[in-house]
Amino acid sequence: WMGTALTDTWHAQDSASPEIEEILGIQCVKPLKTVYSHLDKAGASAVLYDRLITTATREIIADGTKSRHQLNMESKEKHRAIEALGSKYASRHIDAEEIKLCLYSMGDNHSFLTSNRDP
């Protein structure tokens, strides 16, 4: 579609080159937005170093080795940690809900990695 300007094969990484950007007329690559960059921009990256971060982002795994009571206790502890961190680090730049979404995102990542790593 672009004639001879591009070879038959090219990769997404090629779209970052100035020549390709000029041909396309747009930038195809932008900086990756991470939980860290989002929190840092809002002045709340300290939440990532808080002692409760491990509890707030841990995965609650029902693998048959824990009782229902134990799973419920872990879940409540995790929820309390998320609430506490949201309240502690909320500011005029970032509200508690946004901090909690970042924590949930980190927890989701842990679950994703576990489900793709463990048998």
Side-chain angles (χ1 to χ4, degrees):
W1 61 273
M2 301 199 72
T4 59
L6 297 176
T7 61
D8 289 335
T9 60
W10 63 285
H11 302 280
Q13 68 190 31
D14 297 329
S15 65
S17 73
E19 296 84 17
I20 301 299
E21 285 181 0
E22 185 178 333
I23 292 167
L24 297 175
I26 60 170
Q27 286 185 314
C28 297
V29 179
K30 67 179 188 175
L32 184 65
K33 186 173 184 180
T34 64
V35 167
Y36 177 83
S37 65
H38 184 73
L39 291 171
D40 191 49
K41 184 177 177 184
S45 61
V47 70
L48 300 172
Y49 303 99
D50 193 287
R51 64 179 182 79
L52 290 176
I53 192 72
T54 303
T55 303
T57 60
R58 76 173 169 213
E59 186 176 8
I60 310 297
I61 302 173
D63 59 2
T65 63
K66 299 176 186 173
S67 68
R68 171 58 49 200
H69 175 74
Q70 187 176 3
L71 291 170
N72 287 340
M73 294 300 292
E74 287 181 13
S75 181
K76 287 177 184 177
E77 186 178 348
K78 178 178 179 170
H79 180 71
R80 282 192 300 269
I82 290 169
E83 291 294 325
L85 290 172
S87 296
K88 182 176 180 179
Y89 292 97
S91 70
R92 63 185 177 98
H93 302 291
I94 188 168
D95 62 26
E97 288 302 312
E98 200 167 346
I99 291 170
K100 289 191 290 188
L101 284 174
C102 288
L103 297 171
Y104 286 125
S105 177
M106 292 173 67
D108 289 348
N109 183 61
H110 290 312
S111 295
F112 173 79
L113 292 174
T114 298
S115 69
N116 286 282
R117 179 196 66 215
D118 293 353

